[in-house]
Amino acid sequence: MTEHRTVRILADNSSATRIVNEMTRRRFFSLMGVVGGTALLAACAPGGGPGGGPAPQATGGELESKLSIYSWGDYDSPDVLAAFTKELGPKLTVDSFGSNEELIAKLVAAKGTGGYDIIVPTGAFIPQMIENDLLLKLNKDLIPNLEHMDPAFLGRSWDKNNDYSICKAWGTTGFVYDKTKITRELKTWNDFLDCAQNEASGATSVLDDPAEITGMYYWANGIDWNTTDPAEIDACEEFIVGKLAPHIAAFDSYPGSGAIPQSSHALIEVWNGDARQGMNNSDEPDKWQWVLGSPETELWMDNWAISASAPHPEAAHAFINFVLTPENQLANVDYIGYHTGAKDIEEKAREAGLELLDLVFFTPEQLATMKDGEVNEAQTRTVEIYNKAKAAAGA
């Protein structure tokens, strides 16, 4: 989990850009602050289903009548969800979390009785979840639509045989600003941080995530955001807590569903797909300008997985197989605004005339600026900075 992760770009015969590295988002940083540190996963009871019984299995039998999903907020096309129930029967319950830490804490605290079937962890967390028996091994015979996935997005280092997970979506972090309120052009993270302290003071929203809060400072200043150098971390804290935080109005991981369409803030740190969703839902989309943060920003991948205590394993496998069809993959790209790792999905999106695709698909030059993260010994300080920033902002 602590090894350095690199980005490699490959081109297939259609010259489409493929990402083939281990990608991370919303890292394991705040777990220690939320539930007392690494002891959380160490305390997991190995194996078994709810109440210590045998782990659930899926053999291709009759689907259960229900299915529960625990995922990131507004992360699936409602049309796809409705079609699943209409075509296959199980009624869906969808709950959302704001971080991988929250997901893992909920699963562990429930001690195998949480009732969730489908979960959506980010890649970096999967090895620890496998090791601590939080994930069900997939029966890939029940997921034939796996054939529609681009091989470049399979076999990731956290799960090389896709025994426990399949790519759901990948993306990056940038920001949007309201051009009717901020009249200068913003191009970089330095511009973002400067604007937040000036004309966007009191009207700035940042992602509610420790890594994203500190990341802005590191990216803006050309510092490796995986740094463990105490002096660099101290400087980050001094700036984020002492200078930036008093100007922050909100910590919001989902501005696309509220802040952007409602124009409640003028400057907003946001994940790319959520930015696209917010702009598409805005009555005045042209007033919003998307900026892929430079000189560097992040890159992450989320994954379909099934909880080790899933009460409805047959329906869970059927759901994953259902969303992997080309038509459902395209519908989800359009709705969530993220690349889903499906074969030829960029070409299909352009043929379908989907809008704002520059927020979904990126050039090799843009991809070269995206750096993945690590879980390392700096995580405690990262969480401390995050908590101090929220306190200083009055959040």
Side-chain angles (χ1 to χ4, degrees):
M1 291 294 293
T2 59
E3 73 273 22
H4 179 65
R5 297 170 172 85
T6 59
V7 175
R8 291 189 292 125
I9 308 294
L10 295 182
D12 62 15
N13 292 333
S14 64
S15 298
T17 301
R18 300 295 183 228
I19 297 179
V20 295
N21 71 303
E22 179 173 341
M23 297 176 278
T24 68
R25 174 175 64 153
R26 300 170 284 198
R27 297 169 293 172
F28 212 13
F29 277 162
S30 62
L31 183 57
M32 292 166 60
V34 174
V35 287
T38 55
L40 174 71
L41 282 177
C44 294
Q57 300 294 326
T59 60
E62 182 178 355
L63 301 188
E64 302 90 354
S65 62
K66 299 178 181 179
L67 180 71
S68 62
I69 300 175
Y70 195 34
S71 183
W72 303 91
D74 206 14
Y75 208 16
D76 294 282
S77 165
D79 291 340
V80 171
L81 298 180
F84 171 75
T85 296
K86 182 178 180 180
E87 294 182 27
L88 297 181
K91 294 183 179 180
L92 295 176
T93 300
V94 182
D95 293 331
S96 63
F97 54 80
S99 70
N100 282 284
E101 296 85 349
E102 183 180 348
L103 162 64
I104 293 173
K106 186 71 171 284
L107 294 177
V108 173
K111 297 183 179 180
T113 62
Y116 291 115
D117 297 300
I118 300 289
I119 54 178
V120 187
T122 305
F125 299 77
I126 288 174
Q128 290 171 307
M129 296 179 77
I130 294 172
E131 181 180 353
N132 290 279
D133 297 304
L134 294 179
L135 300 182
L136 181 70
K137 189 170 183 177
L138 301 174
N139 182 343
K140 286 181 281 187
D141 289 340
L142 303 181
I143 312 176
N145 286 327
L146 191 61
E147 68 179 11
H148 299 301
M149 291 295 292
D150 188 323
F153 297 94
L154 300 175
R156 303 276 43 84
S157 60
W158 56 75
D159 186 11
K160 291 184 178 180
N161 295 315
N162 293 102
D163 287 331
Y164 295 88
S165 63
I166 298 169
C167 172
K168 172 182 174 32
W170 66 265
T172 189
T173 303
F175 61 90
V176 296
Y177 64 95
D178 183 342
K179 293 183 289 185
T180 67
K181 298 177 181 178
I182 299 171
T183 56
R184 60 168 160 152
E185 184 178 12
L186 307 182
K187 296 182 178 181
T188 69
W189 284 114
N190 266 316
D191 291 340
F192 177 96
L193 297 175
D194 180 76
C195 184
Q197 297 172 81
N198 290 287
E199 63 263 52
S201 178
T204 294
S205 172
V206 297
L207 289 165
D208 192 11
D209 183 287
E212 309 292 347
I213 299 301
T214 56
M216 293 184 293
Y217 172 82
Y218 295 132
W219 297 325
N221 290 282
I223 300 170
D224 180 1
W225 73 314
N226 298 308
T227 182
T228 58
D229 184 327
E232 292 177 338
I233 298 172
D234 287 345
C236 176
E237 178 174 338
E238 180 180 355
F239 176 83
I240 295 295
V241 177
K243 296 182 179 180
L244 181 65
H247 302 278
I248 295 175
F251 294 76
D252 181 4
S253 287
Y254 304 115
S257 60
I260 296 175
Q262 295 169 14
S263 298
S264 53
H265 300 103
L267 180 65
I268 302 173
E269 183 190 25
V270 61
W271 290 307
N272 61 294
D274 200 46
R276 179 180 179 273
Q277 189 176 114
M279 292 165 71
N280 276 333
N281 291 331
S282 173
D283 292 334
E284 301 177 86
D286 292 340
K287 77 176 185 178
W288 292 104
Q289 179 64 52
W290 156 258
V291 180
L292 177 64
S294 65
E296 292 186 354
T297 188
E298 73 166 322
L299 194 148
W300 49 261
M301 181 187 283
D302 291 334
N303 302 267
W304 295 115
I306 300 176
S307 168
S309 60
H312 312 111
E314 302 287 358
H317 281 78
F319 178 84
I320 293 176
N321 189 57
F322 184 80
V323 297
L324 293 185
T325 65
E327 58 271 24
N328 287 332
Q329 289 276 41
L330 184 61
N332 270 326
V333 167
D334 187 27
Y335 186 80
I336 67 176
Y338 296 111
H339 193 312
T340 61
K343 289 179 182 176
D344 306 317
I345 194 68
E346 180 176 358
E347 178 183 348
K348 293 174 182 176
R350 297 194 185 283
E351 289 175 352
L354 303 190
E355 298 179 343
L356 299 176
L357 293 183
D358 60 322
L359 275 73
V360 182
F361 305 108
F362 301 99
T363 67
E365 292 76 18
Q366 290 174 317
L367 287 166
T369 71
M370 302 178 193
K371 308 298 181 182
D372 51 322
E374 296 178 1
V375 177
N376 58 35
E377 59 266 32
Q379 58 188 356
T380 301
R381 288 294 310 281
T382 299
V383 175
E384 289 175 353
I385 294 170
Y386 163 78
N387 288 331
K388 290 179 181 179
K390 296 192 78 169

